[in-house]
Amino acid sequence: RDLAAALRGGAAGYLLKSADSDELAQAIVRAVRGEASFSAPIAARLAAAFAAGSPPGDGDAGEAALAALSAREREILELIAQGQSNKQIARALSIAETTVKIHVQHILRKLGLASRLQAAMLLAGRR
């Protein structure tokens, strides 16, 4: 429940108290890049929740909001859901990383979400 509440609130990840300083520093860098960061046990719980078909923190976006995405935004959302960073998405689509960032901002605004992680979870929950 804490994890779902944190994600709904816009958290860019979730680390356990036992995270060492290197893990914390790496998580901060990823958060600045707009990427998610989770301790391994948390990532395992998320994967299990998705496999069970009950992803936590899926936001309030509905099918209409997803339908409002452009084809390119939907494509980028799919890549986000696969865990790709903005840099990886830019390479895969042969576009600038700044263009990906702009698309991500539009996706989040259209879906009424606070983070790319919430967007990924929303899409995964619809599959």
Side-chain angles (χ1 to χ4, degrees):
R1 291 180 223 226
D2 291 340
L3 175 58
L7 295 173
R8 281 189 206 103
Y14 199 96
L15 301 179
L16 298 176
K17 291 179 197 176
S18 60
D20 63 24
S21 58
D22 287 338
E23 186 178 5
L24 179 59
Q26 291 171 0
I28 292 169
V29 169
R30 283 193 292 273
V32 169
R33 291 184 194 146
E35 300 170 6
S37 189
F38 295 93
S39 293
I42 298 297
R45 287 183 190 159
L46 280 173
F50 283 119
S54 59
D58 66 353
D60 295 327
E63 292 300 323
L66 285 171
L69 297 179
S70 70
R72 179 61 95 177
E73 290 167 344
R74 183 70 184 209
E75 186 176 22
I76 289 172
L77 180 57
E78 289 282 347
L79 294 171
I80 290 171
Q82 293 172 20
Q84 294 193 24
S85 68
N86 288 347
K87 190 174 196 171
Q88 291 169 318
I89 294 169
R91 276 192 233 136
L93 300 178
S94 300
I95 59 176
E97 188 174 351
T98 352
T99 304
V100 174
K101 288 178 185 179
I102 291 168
H103 281 302
V104 171
Q105 290 171 356
H106 292 170
I107 291 166
L108 296 178
R109 189 183 74 248
K110 286 180 179 180
L111 297 178
L113 301 172
S115 72
R116 62 191 286 127
L117 176 62
Q118 288 178 329
M121 292 175 70
L122 171 71
L123 188 61
R126 304 273 182 213
R127 291 183 181 161

